[in-house]
C-alpha cells in the first residue's frame, strides 16, 4: 500500500471512531434524521396537516348536507323533541320562580306544564271551534265571493282572451289547455282519524314527557354541567352561555307572546266595530300567525280577505278587514316591537329569512314557528363560542393553501415564514 493510500485509510478509521463515540445520528421532533433537513420535515408536516384538514372539511360538508335530510326524514322524532326543548327553555324562568318559593322541582315542572297546556288549549279552542263553523259556510258563500270579485274576474277574462288571441295569431298550432290533475278525496274521516290520531297522541305525550323531565332535572343538570368543568374560567363561561340561552329565548317568546296577544285583541276589536263575525277567532288567528315573521301576516291578510268576501257584499268593504289587520301589523313590526325588544335580540333579516326557509322546508308550518327561537339559540351559542373562521381554515393554513407560493421564496427565508407561504 502506498503512503497516500495508508493516509486515507487512517483518516477513514479516525472518522468512524469519532462517529461511534458520538452515538447514532440525532433525530428531529418529527422522527426524521437531521440530515433530512428542517425544510423537508416542515414540508412533510404541512402535507400531513393539509391532509387532516381536507378529511375534516369533507366530513364537515357531508354532515352539513346530510343533517337537513335526516331531520326531515325523522320529523316524527325530531320535531316534537325540538319543540319540547324550546318550550322547556322558555318555561325555565317560571320554574326557577317556583323553586325560589321552595316548591319541589317535580311539582314545579308539573305546574309549568299545566299552565302551558291550559293556555294553549284555550287559544286553540278559541280559534278552531269558530273557524270550523265559519269556513263550513264557504260553499254557500261562493256566489257572494264571485259577485264581489266580478270586476277582477272580468278583467282577468278579458286579459286571457287577449293573450289567447295574440298567441293564436303568432302560433300555427292551436293552444292546448293544460290537463288538470284530479285529487282523490280521502276515504273517510274515521279512517283518516284512525291513521293520524295515534301518531299525534304519541308525539304529544312524548313532548310532554320531554318537557317534564327537562324541567324537573334542570337545576341538577345545570349544576352538574358547570361543576364538571376543569377550570374556573370554563365553569363561568358555561354558566354564562346557559343563562344567556335561557334569558334570550324566554325574553323573546314572552315578549312576542305579549305583543301578539295585544295585537290580536286590538285587531278583533276593530273587526267587531266594522261588523266582522267571529272577531275573537280572527284576533286569535292574527296573533298565532304573527309568530311567523314576514309570511305569517301575509297569510293572515289573505284569510281575512277571504272572510271579508264571504261576509260583505261590497268589494271595498270586504277588503277593509285585511287592510286594517296589515296596517296594525306594520305599526307593530316597525315601531312597537323594536322599541320593546331593543337591540339585545336584534337579528339580521337575512338570517331570519334563511332560518324560515330552512325550517319551513324541513318541518312545514311547525318548523316556521320554531325558526326564530332556534336561530336565537344558535346565535347565542356562536356568540359565546366564537364564529368559525371558514375562510381562514380554507385559505390560510387549511386545505387550499397554494403550494406554488413556496417556489417563489428566497432560499434564506426562515422555516416559520416558509410554512406560512405554503412551503
Amino acid at each position: 500500500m502506498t503512503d497516500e493510500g495508508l493516509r486515507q485509510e487512517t483518516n477513514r478509521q479516525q472518522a468512524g471512531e469519532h462517529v461511534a463515540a458520538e452515538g447514532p445520528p440525532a433525530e428531529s421532533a418529527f422522527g426524521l434524521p437531521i440530515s433530512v433537513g428542517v425544510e423537508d420535515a416542515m414540508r412533510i408536516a404541512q402535507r400531513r396537516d393539509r391532509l387532516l384538514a381536507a378529511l375534516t372539511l369533507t366530513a364537515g360538508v357531508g354532515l352539513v348536507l346530510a343533517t337537513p335530510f335526516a331531520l326531515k326524514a325523522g320529523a316524527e322524532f325530531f320535531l316534537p323533541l325540538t319543540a319540547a326543548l324550546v318550550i322547556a327553555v322558555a318555561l325555565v324562568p317560571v320554574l326557577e320562580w317556583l323553586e325560589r318559593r321552595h316548591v319541589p322541582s317535580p311539582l314545579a315542572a308539573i305546574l309549568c306544564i299545566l299552565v302551558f297546556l291550559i293556555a294553549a288549549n284555550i287559544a286553540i279552542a278559541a280559534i278552531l271551534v269558530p273557524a270550523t263553523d265559519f269556513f263550513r259556510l264557504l260553499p254557500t258563500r261562493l256566489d257572494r265571493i264571485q259577485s264581489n270579485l266580478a270586476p277582477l274576474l272580468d278583467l282577468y277574462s278579458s286579459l286571457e282572451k287577449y293573450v289567447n288571441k295574440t298567441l293564436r295569431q303568432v302560433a300555427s298550432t292551436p293552444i292546448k289547455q293544460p290537463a288538470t290533475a284530479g285529487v282523490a278525496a280521502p276515504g273517510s274521516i274515521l279512517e283518516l282519524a284512525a291513521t293520524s290520531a295515534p301518531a299525534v297522541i304519541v308525539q304529544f305525550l312524548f313532548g310532554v314527557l320531554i318537557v317534564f323531565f327537562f324541567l324537573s332535572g334542570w337545576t341538577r343538570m345545570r349544576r352538574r354541567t358547570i361543576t364538571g368543568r376543569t377550570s374556573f374560567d370554563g365553569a363561568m363561561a358555561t354558566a354564562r352561555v346557559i343563562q344567556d340561552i335561557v334569558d334570550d329565548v324566554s325574553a323573546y317568546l314572552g315578549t312576542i307572546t305579549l305583543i301578539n296577544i295585544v295585537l290580536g285583541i286590538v285587531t278583533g276589536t276593530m273587526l267587531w266595530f266594522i261588523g266582522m263575525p267571529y272577531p275573537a277567532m280572527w284576533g286569535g288567528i292574527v296573533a298565532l300567525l304573527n309568530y311567523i315573521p314576514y309570511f305569517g301576516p301575509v297569510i293572515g291578510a289573505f284569510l281575512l280577505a277571504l272572510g271579508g268576501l264571504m261576509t260583505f257584499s261590497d268589494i271595498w268593504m270586504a277588503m277593509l278587514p285585511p287592510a286594517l289587520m296589515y296596517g296594525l301589523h306594520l305599526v307593530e313590526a316597525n315601531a312597537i316591537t323594536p322599541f320593546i325588544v331593543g337591540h339585545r335580540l336584534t337579528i339580521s333579516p337575512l338570517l331570519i329569512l334563511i332560518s324560515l326557509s330552512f325550517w319551513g322546508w324541513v318541518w312545514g308550518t311547525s318548523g316556521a314557528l320554531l325558526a326564530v327561537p332556534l336561530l336565537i339559540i344558535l346565535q347565542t351559542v356562536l356568540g359565546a363560542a366564537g364564529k368559525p373562521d371558514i375562510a381562514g381554515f380554507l385559505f390560510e393554513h387549511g386545505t387550499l393553501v397554494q403550494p406554488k407560493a413556496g417556489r417563489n421564496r428566497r432560499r434564506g427565508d426562515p422555516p416559520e415564514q416558509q410554512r406560512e407561504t405554503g412551503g
Side-chain angles (χ1 to χ4, degrees):
M1 182 179 296
T2 60
D3 295 340
E4 183 64 25
L6 182 60
R7 188 180 302 107
Q8 292 178 358
E9 182 67 22
T10 304
N11 292 336
R12 282 196 297 269
Q13 292 179 357
Q14 291 177 354
E17 292 175 357
H18 179 70
V19 172
E22 290 184 354
E27 295 183 351
S28 66
F30 298 95
L32 300 173
I34 293 180
S35 59
V36 176
V38 176
E39 183 178 355
D40 295 335
M42 297 295 291
R43 186 179 296 109
I44 293 173
Q46 187 181 25
R47 290 176 180 175
R48 181 188 60 189
D49 295 341
R50 196 173 298 165
L51 176 61
L52 293 176
L55 294 176
T56 303
L57 178 64
T58 303
V61 171
L63 181 63
V64 169
L65 293 178
T67 298
F69 297 97
L71 293 174
K72 189 172 184 179
E76 294 183 355
F77 170 76
F78 290 110
L79 177 57
L81 175 63
T82 306
L85 291 178
V86 171
I87 294 172
V89 171
L91 293 176
V92 165
V94 181
L95 174 78
E96 294 177 343
W97 183 84
L98 292 174
E99 288 181 343
R100 286 195 295 269
R101 271 77 184 163
H102 306 289
V103 179
S105 296
L107 181 58
I110 293 176
L111 292 177
C112 291
I113 294 174
L114 288 178
V115 171
F116 174 78
L117 291 179
I118 291 172
N121 287 330
I122 292 175
I124 292 175
I127 295 174
L128 289 183
V129 175
T132 304
D133 297 335
F134 183 79
F135 287 102
R136 189 182 292 127
L137 302 175
L138 181 59
T140 62
R141 302 293 177 87
L142 291 178
D143 294 337
R144 178 175 297 178
I145 294 176
Q146 289 178 355
S147 62
N148 287 330
L149 295 178
L152 296 178
L153 293 176
D154 293 339
L155 177 62
Y156 174 77
S157 178
S158 302
L159 181 62
E160 185 181 15
K161 290 179 180 179
Y162 175 76
V163 171
N164 289 337
K165 182 179 178 180
T166 305
L167 290 177
R168 288 191 187 97
Q169 293 176 355
V170 174
S172 59
T173 57
I175 300 175
K176 296 182 179 181
Q177 297 294 333
T180 57
V183 180
S188 64
I189 298 178
L190 293 177
E191 181 181 356
L192 181 61
T195 56
S196 61
V200 173
I201 292 174
V202 170
Q203 292 179 0
F204 175 76
L205 293 178
F206 174 70
V208 171
L209 290 176
I210 289 294
V211 174
F212 171 74
F213 288 117
F214 183 91
L215 292 177
S216 61
W218 165 254
T219 303
R220 295 191 306 272
M221 180 177 61
R222 183 179 60 177
R223 185 184 301 112
R224 190 181 302 113
T225 303
I226 296 174
T227 57
R229 303 298 92 191
T230 57
S231 63
F232 178 77
D233 293 337
M236 294 300 298
T238 303
R240 191 180 303 110
V241 171
I242 293 175
Q243 193 62 40
D244 287 344
I245 292 176
V246 172
D247 292 343
D248 291 347
V249 173
S250 59
Y252 171 79
L253 291 179
T255 305
I256 294 301
T257 299
L258 182 61
I259 292 174
N260 292 347
I261 291 174
V262 175
L263 177 64
I265 293 174
V266 174
T267 303
T269 304
M270 297 187 70
L271 294 178
W272 176 75
F273 274 117
I274 65 174
M276 189 77 173
Y278 303 106
M281 177 198 71
W282 291 114
I285 291 176
V286 170
L288 180 62
L289 290 176
N290 204 51
Y291 280 100
I292 305 177
Y294 307 124
F295 301 105
V298 175
I299 299 174
F302 174 78
L303 293 177
L304 274 171
L306 180 60
L309 292 173
M310 292 173 58
T311 303
F312 303 104
S313 57
D314 181 43
I315 181 64
W316 302 110
M317 191 65 184
M319 292 295 104
L320 183 58
L324 290 175
M325 172 260 159
Y326 212 80
L328 292 175
H329 163 70
L330 292 178
V331 174
E332 171 266 324
N334 295 284
I336 298 177
T337 299
F339 176 76
I340 295 177
V341 174
H343 298 286
R344 180 182 180 185
L345 297 178
T346 301
I347 307 175
S348 170
L350 178 61
L351 293 179
I352 294 177
L353 286 176
I354 294 174
S355 182
L356 282 173
S357 301
F358 176 79
W359 294 111
W361 170 71
V362 173
W363 291 332
T365 306
S366 302
L369 290 173
L370 295 173
V372 177
L374 292 176
L375 180 61
I376 291 175
I377 294 175
L378 180 61
Q379 182 175 273
T380 303
V381 173
L382 290 179
K387 297 180 181 178
D389 186 10
I390 300 178
F393 174 77
L394 291 177
F395 301 106
E396 291 183 5
H397 302 290
T399 60
L400 301 182
V401 178
Q402 294 291 337
K404 294 182 180 180
R407 300 178 183 177
N408 299 327
R409 296 191 315 269
R410 294 188 301 272
R411 188 174 298 274
D413 290 341
E416 292 79 10
Q417 185 176 352
Q418 293 174 5
R419 186 171 186 178
E420 292 178 359
T421 55

